Amino acid sequence: MRIDWASHVALVLYSNFGLVLGDSLLAIRGLDPALAEKYKPVNGKFTCLDGSKELAFSRVNDDYCDCADGSDEPGTSACENGTFYCANKGHIPGKLRAWQVNDGVCDYDVCCDGSDEWDSEATCPDKCSEIGKAHRQIEAEQQQKQQAGAKRLHELVDQAKQLREAKTAELAEEQIKLEQLEKQLAEAEARKNDLEQQQRDYEANSNAGKLQALSDQHLPDFIRYRKLLSAELHILRAHRDTLILMLKAVRSDHNPEFNDEAVLSAISGYSEFIDAYPYLEAAALEYADEDTAAREERQLQMDRDNEEQDDVSLSACANAVEIALNERQTLNDDISMLYGLMDGMRSGYNKNYHDLAVKGAVSGLDEFDRTRERDLVEVKDQKQQVDELKKTFDEVKPQVSELAELASDDSSGDLDTQVSEARSAFWDKQSEKTQANSKVSNLQELLKDKDLGPEDVFLPVYKECFSLDAGEYTYEVCLLDRATQIENKNSARQNLGTFAGFGDGNDYSKLKFTHGTKCWNGPERSMTVKFECASEIKLVSVKEPEKCEYEAHMTGPFACGLSQQHVEDPETSGLEAADLSAEAEAEAEAVKDHPHDEL
């Protein structure tokens, strides 16, 4: 069989130098086309790309590493630091580390055309057509998702424009309303003050006036006495709740097989008590469910309510003091009885029985003793002041009762009604003005101070919340507002942070939430939200890579072409990628008909 001249040359070049005849007459195996100019022989010589050596061009791809940078062996595995270029026609070109060339492994993730195994026992057929098609399908789906997200992004921009116009108009209306309310409030206050002055003039010489004079002199003392009692009641209620919880635990968890008389006696006494007052056990359970912050807030609210209800007059405060004294007596009696039950069990239970519930309760009582001693230090320190206030109270209370009864016969007729109505009208206007002022401030902050993203894109979803049930917890992210962790078994909420800004460099695909509830022995809780491009806003997952530092993965349009300045046009975004995909498809079809021409 005769071989023509061109075929003979090609065979020699291929066998000896890894060179093939191609479109540019001479192609070097494994060479990145971008470097082709640097591989043109000059006087039959090749210069290493790092300039370190010049050698005969015939030594390119001779399976011996001559250049320190490995540039003389792009198509063999001779140089450990070399790279092999895979053309991958019909897909994306790839680069492989030289040591993987002819290693008997088909590296389809990089060289889908199998060209890296040109001289090994491995058979690596060209799979670029199918791999490229699958890749382009994924890219097309991603592009479709990108375009849908960009379209949704533009819809949000359109909504934001309309919403800003509406909110701006609303702000103007609220400012006018606020000005009117300020005038109306001034008029209502003037009328109230005038009627109150008339009422004071009338009452100056009445029994009510005398009661008022007594109030002016002693109400501060009564209020101080009531507050001291209230603070002591908070402590005593907590002590009673603690003892109830300990006895309840013993009753429900003790081992009845031991038949311990001291334990049974305590349980019997507790059962008799709690059967008579079942609501006290319910109250103790509510106390146990509260964390420290919630309990302090509840007590503060009780104190605020008491101030509003009881500190308005001498009579009301006197009645409140009487009620507090009675409750203090009841609490001390209950604590004495319950403590006696627990103390009797502590001193009399059989210590040879391994009853964990009883031993736990005894240990709890020891801790209770220490806590009780600490809690009552302040009460003891204030005893002298309390005794002095009680003495004043006991002296003044009969006068208050007498004058209050006499004053009930006084009648200022229509004046009291007018004063009451004037006060109500003033308070109503004051409340309306506060609400209007708050609304104006919130609108001004939203429209003027808050970063709502380019073209106000976050405005339509501002403070909109998205939830994810993750099993033990439900997570809630409210955009540009707050992040929350909710325990599913008891609805306890942990603040994971309030909105603190976007990602570094105004990355609007990231939201930062900081200064959440402090972790036990750790930092304040925080969360970073990262968006993935999609048309639907959805909370997908939450993880905690570091203690109390949460990362949330959300989908939404905010990762679909949102830059610092503007929102990309969904009609043009992605066209370049679509063109490239079309070109790749055409190339893949061509490869089917004309496989690569290496021997």
Side-chain angles (χ1 to χ4, degrees):
M1 180 178 66
R2 294 182 63 191
I3 302 176
D4 62 24
W5 179 83
S7 298
H8 176 72
V9 171
L11 181 60
V12 171
L13 292 173
Y14 171 76
S15 301
N16 295 333
F17 311 118
L19 310 176
V20 297
L21 289 174
D23 296 338
S24 60
L25 183 61
L26 190 64
I28 300 176
R29 187 190 307 282
L31 177 64
D32 185 345
L35 300 175
E37 286 294 322
K38 297 183 179 181
Y39 281 78
K40 287 183 178 181
V42 178
N43 298 323
K45 300 288 186 177
F46 169 75
T47 302
C48 301
L49 296 188
D50 62 3
S52 61
K53 186 185 292 186
E54 184 179 81
L55 53 138
F57 193 77
S58 60
R59 291 166 66 179
V60 173
N61 274 346
D62 65 349
D63 204 24
Y64 184 84
C65 192
D66 296 294
C67 294
D69 61 359
S71 58
D72 63 309
E73 297 296 319
T76 75
S77 59
C79 298
E80 291 184 356
N81 58 341
T83 57
F84 181 90
Y85 177 84
C86 309
N88 293 342
K89 293 182 179 179
H91 188 38
I92 301 170
K95 288 185 180 180
L96 201 68
R97 288 170 293 185
W99 63 264
Q100 292 176 281
V101 175
N102 292 325
D103 64 351
V105 178
C106 299
D107 297 294
Y108 284 122
D109 56 331
V110 180
C111 282
C112 61
D113 59 6
S115 60
D116 59 310
E117 297 302 316
W118 58 272
D119 189 25
S120 77
E121 295 180 358
T123 302
C124 302
D126 189 336
K127 293 187 178 182
C128 285
S129 178
E130 57 188 276
I131 292 176
K133 185 175 181 180
H135 176 77
R136 288 188 292 277
Q137 177 64 29
I138 293 172
E139 279 196 332
E141 291 173 358
Q142 290 293 333
Q143 187 60 33
Q144 191 175 27
K145 185 185 292 186
Q146 182 79 22
Q147 289 176 334
K151 181 180 178 182
R152 176 61 180 139
L153 202 59
H154 259 261
E155 290 173 355
L156 288 175
V157 169
D158 291 340
Q159 293 173 22
K161 290 177 181 176
Q162 298 174 16
L163 196 54
R164 175 169 280 278
E165 291 175 0
K167 291 287 185 184
T168 301
E170 183 183 1
L171 174 59
E173 292 176 2
E174 289 297 328
Q175 287 173 327
I176 293 172
K177 180 180 177 182
L178 181 60
E179 291 176 2
Q180 294 172 342
L181 283 170
E182 287 173 345
K183 293 178 182 178
Q184 294 169 5
L185 179 63
E187 294 171 357
E189 185 175 21
R191 173 168 172 74
K192 177 183 75 74
N193 292 343
D194 181 58
L195 289 170
E196 285 176 341
Q197 184 59 50
Q198 294 180 39
Q199 189 181 50
R200 283 192 293 272
D201 293 343
Y202 170 81
E203 290 177 347
N205 297 315
S206 65
N207 290 311
K210 295 176 183 177
L211 182 60
Q212 184 59 49
L214 199 64
S215 176
D216 292 342
Q217 183 179 356
H218 295 293
L219 181 57
D221 291 336
F222 276 36
I223 291 174
R224 199 156 49 246
Y225 188 28
R226 183 197 63 73
K227 287 184 175 181
L228 289 170
L229 289 172
S230 180
E232 185 178 354
L233 291 179
H234 287 320
I235 295 172
L236 294 176
R237 292 188 195 107
H239 290 173
R240 181 174 66 185
D241 288 341
T242 301
L243 291 168
I244 287 174
L245 291 170
M246 286 193 288
L247 284 163
K248 180 182 182 300
V250 171
R251 183 171 70 168
S252 61
D253 299 337
H254 80 287
N255 191 334
E257 294 182 2
F258 291 142
N259 200 28
D260 191 319
E261 290 185 6
V263 175
L264 294 177
S265 176
I267 292 173
S268 175
Y270 173 70
S271 297
E272 182 179 348
F273 171 76
I274 214 63
D275 287 345
Y277 309 104
Y279 59 88
L280 292 180
E281 190 171 82
L285 290 172
E286 289 181 5
Y287 167 83
D289 287 339
E290 289 180 318
D291 58 26
T292 302
R295 185 176 302 124
E296 290 176 352
E297 178 57 33
R298 176 177 57 80
Q299 291 174 350
L300 283 172
Q301 187 58 51
M302 288 178 63
D303 292 339
R304 287 192 289 265
D305 292 343
N306 289 338
E307 287 179 9
E308 292 178 4
Q309 298 170 10
D310 303 330
D311 296 350
V312 294
S313 70
L314 193 63
S315 298
C317 195
N319 290 334
V321 168
E322 290 282 4
I323 293 170
L325 289 170
N326 290 334
E327 184 180 359
R328 183 176 68 172
Q329 183 61 50
T330 300
L331 283 166
N332 281 322
D333 292 344
D334 291 348
I335 290 169
S336 177
M337 187 275 294
L338 293 169
Y339 185 85
L341 294 176
M342 285 292 297
D343 194 39
M345 183 180 71
R346 175 169 60 181
S347 60
Y349 83 100
N350 191 328
K351 297 175 178 57
N352 295 321
Y353 293 154
H354 190 58
D355 193 327
L356 294 179
V358 174
K359 290 185 176 182
V362 169
S363 176
L365 188 61
D366 293 340
E367 177 61 28
F368 174 82
D369 287 338
R370 292 187 289 271
T371 301
R372 187 184 187 188
E373 182 65 27
R374 287 195 303 269
D375 290 345
L376 294 180
V377 167
E378 186 176 350
V379 175
K380 291 177 181 177
D381 291 343
Q382 295 173 341
K383 186 177 184 306
Q384 181 178 354
Q385 183 183 4
V386 170
D387 289 344
E388 292 174 356
L389 291 170
K390 183 179 184 305
K391 181 179 178 182
T392 300
F393 177 79
D394 291 341
E395 293 174 353
V396 176
K397 178 63 170 62
Q399 301 176 54
V400 174
S401 300
E402 181 182 358
L403 286 173
E405 185 176 352
L406 293 172
S408 63
D409 296 331
D410 292 342
S411 176
S412 56
D414 188 49
L415 184 58
D416 288 342
T417 302
Q418 292 181 47
V419 170
S420 178
E421 290 175 350
R423 285 173 177 165
S424 295
F426 169 73
W427 291 331
D428 288 345
K429 287 299 176 187
Q430 194 172 50
S431 177
E432 287 182 50
K433 185 201 169 223
T434 299
Q435 292 176 14
N437 195 56
S438 176
K439 199 166 186 178
V440 167
S441 297
N442 290 338
L443 285 169
Q444 287 176 332
E445 180 187 4
L446 178 65
L447 297 175
K448 299 178 181 179
D449 302 330
K450 192 168 291 293
D451 183 359
L452 298 168
E455 300 181 58
D456 293 334
V457 69
F458 281 94
L459 181 55
V461 292
Y462 177 59
K463 290 190 177 181
E464 189 172 338
C465 299
F466 300 88
S467 299
L468 171 69
D469 188 339
E472 185 178 358
Y473 300 103
T474 290
Y475 292 92
E476 184 179 72
V477 175
C478 300
L479 300 183
L480 276 61
D481 184 23
R482 57 183 170 77
T484 309
Q485 180 192 68
I486 306 166
E487 194 168 351
N488 285 334
K489 68 178 182 180
N490 59 14
S491 299
R493 302 173 73 90
Q494 291 287 356
N495 177 15
L496 301 186
T498 53
F499 180 66
F502 298 98
D504 294 339
N506 282 342
D507 182 354
Y508 291 100
S509 66
K510 292 182 182 179
L511 308 180
K512 294 180 180 180
F513 298 85
T514 59
H515 300 305
T517 306
K518 192 177 188 302
C519 278
W520 172 254
N521 236 3
E524 293 178 332
R525 289 175 171 84
S526 63
M527 174 180 278
T528 299
V529 175
K530 299 179 181 178
F531 280 99
E532 176 188 353
C533 178
S535 58
E536 180 186 6
I537 304 175
K538 185 178 180 181
L539 180 56
V540 177
S541 65
V542 176
K543 60 183 180 179
E544 187 181 0
E546 299 290 340
K547 182 178 180 181
C548 299
E549 295 179 5
Y550 299 82
E551 288 185 2
H553 172 211
M554 293 186 71
T555 61
F558 311 110
C560 304
L562 186 62
S563 70
Q564 294 184 24
Q565 289 80 26
H566 67 283
V567 175
E568 292 181 4
D569 188 347
E571 298 299 325
T572 59
S573 64
L575 289 183
E576 182 180 349
D579 290 342
L580 290 174
S581 179
E583 288 177 10
E585 287 289 352
E587 184 178 315
E589 291 300 320
V591 170
K592 289 181 181 178
D593 299 330
H594 305 286
H596 62 74
D597 55 3
E598 290 185 3
L599 295 181

